[in-house]
């Protein structure tokens, strides 16, 4: 009995210390399956329901987009479910690469909102479990696309990151937390994709929760630690990435650093009452 208690205690401690996406299963098959795309757009993705929900329930506060989970009506919750089902019904292979990037991002973000609504009230998305010893909702299969059941982790790590190889994905997907880059106020589309990704990156890097220069210390979001390899080979590469989007004042401070002093992340729910 003591051995079992020790094992469970140790496992729980490890779970608490893990980043939200540690030990996600690598699935090359998913990346290969969804890698194909159309050369030209032949389908217009209709994001009207998602745009209406974003407009209705997002409020900006001190540079952070907050969501009114407690205010969502039953009608809008049903609209959100229908929107997710609509996206899941599309033939992804018939979309262009830019449409696919937008498609997966909108699916991830809308599905995350629905996950929170299903469990609300919660103080943090990490309070929602995917299963035994799995803190957070990211590993549970929640939607089927092209007949394949997918989790939030599958969408982000097995499709978006490997297929598109664009580190701006980290500013696009939203994990319903204060520390996360903003949930954008409009849906991603292939026409606006690059502009919106650059805007999201700039918003985050120039906000204290993304990057803070405090005299002789450079404190940045834990995103740049969890996914450091997406931004380069070392801390200097991460700093160089930040410089691409930093305003003049921040850039002046960043240029004095070659190393990062520490990492922070706020997992509190990104909500307003």
């Amino acid at each position: 009995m003591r051995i079992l208690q020790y094992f469970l205690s140790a496992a729980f401690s490890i779970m608490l210390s893990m980043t939200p996406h540690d030990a996600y299963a690598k699935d090359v098959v998913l990346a290969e399956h969804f890698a194909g795309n159309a050369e030209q757009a032949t389908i217009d993705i209709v994001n009207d329901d998602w745009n209406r929900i974003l407009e209705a329930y997002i409020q900006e506060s001190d540079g952070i987009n907050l969501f009114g989970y407690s205010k969502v009506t039953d009608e809008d919750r049903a609209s959100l479910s229908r929107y997710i089902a609509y996206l899941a019904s599309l033939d992804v292979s018939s979309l262009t690469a830019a449409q696919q990037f937008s498609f997966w991002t909108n699916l991830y973000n809308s599905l995350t909102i629905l996950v929170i609504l299903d469990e609300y009230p919660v103080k943090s998305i990490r309070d929602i479990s995917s299963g035994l010893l799995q803190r957070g909702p990211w590993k549970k299969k929640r939607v089927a696309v092209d007949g394949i059941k997918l989790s939030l982790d599958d969408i982000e790590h097995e499709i978006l990151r490997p297929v598109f190889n664009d580190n701006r994905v980290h500013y696009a997907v939203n994990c319903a937390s204060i520390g996360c880059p903003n949930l954008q106020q409009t849906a991603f589309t292939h026409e606006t994709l690059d502009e919106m990704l650059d805007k999201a990156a700039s918003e985050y890097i120039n906000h204290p929760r993304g990057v803070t220069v405090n005299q002789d210390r450079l404190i940045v979001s834990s995103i740049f630690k969890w996914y450091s390899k997406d931004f380069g080979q070392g801390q200097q590469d991460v700093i160089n990435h930040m410089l691409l989007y930093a305003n003049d004042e921040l850039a002046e401070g960043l240029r004095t650093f070659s190393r990062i002093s520490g990492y922070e992340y706020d997992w509190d729910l990104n909500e307003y009452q």
Side-chain angles (χ1 to χ4, degrees), residues 21 24 100-106 108-109 152-175 180-184 188 193-194 196-198 200-201 204 223-224 227 229-231 241 245:
H21 310 300
Y24 54 82
Q100 287 181 357
F101 196 118
S102 302
F103 164 89
W104 290 116
T105 301
N106 291 331
Y108 185 100
N109 290 339
L152 289 167
D153 263 3
D154 290 333
I155 295 172
E156 181 177 5
H157 302 301
E158 310 305 338
I159 301 172
L160 274 168
R161 289 175 66 203
V163 171
F164 300 99
N165 194 30
D166 188 331
N167 54 32
R168 294 178 299 175
V169 68
H170 298 296
Y171 309 110
V173 295
N174 182 271
C175 66
C180 192
N182 279 336
L183 176 63
Q184 294 299 307
F188 285 85
L193 180 61
D194 274 320
M196 288 186 67
L197 290 173
D198 284 340
Y204 193 60
I223 287 174
F224 298 110
Y227 308 114
K229 292 183 180 179
D230 289 358
F231 299 98
H241 167 81
Y245 301 97

Side-chain angles (χ1 to χ4, degrees), residues 129-153:
S129 174
S130 294
L132 182 63
L133 300 181
Q134 290 184 340
R135 192 176 190 187
W138 298 286
K139 298 184 185 303
K140 184 176 180 178
K141 305 294 183 179
R142 296 182 181 275
V143 67
V145 177
D146 200 18
I148 301 174
K149 293 182 179 180
L150 301 172
S151 66
L152 289 167
D153 263 3

Side-chain angles (χ1 to χ4, degrees), residues 85-140:
Y86 159 71
L87 288 182
S89 72
L90 295 176
D91 178 7
V92 182
S93 64
S94 67
L95 306 177
T96 66
Q99 282 183 312
Q100 287 181 357
F101 196 118
S102 302
F103 164 89
W104 290 116
T105 301
N106 291 331
L107 180 59
Y108 185 100
N109 290 339
S110 57
L111 191 57
T112 297
I113 295 295
L114 186 60
V115 167
I116 298 295
L117 292 176
D118 285 345
E119 300 291 338
Y120 192 83
V122 293
K123 293 182 178 180
S124 169
I125 191 171
R126 293 203 297 176
D127 295 337
I128 303 170
S129 174
S130 294
L132 182 63
L133 300 181
Q134 290 184 340
R135 192 176 190 187
W138 298 286
K139 298 184 185 303
K140 184 176 180 178

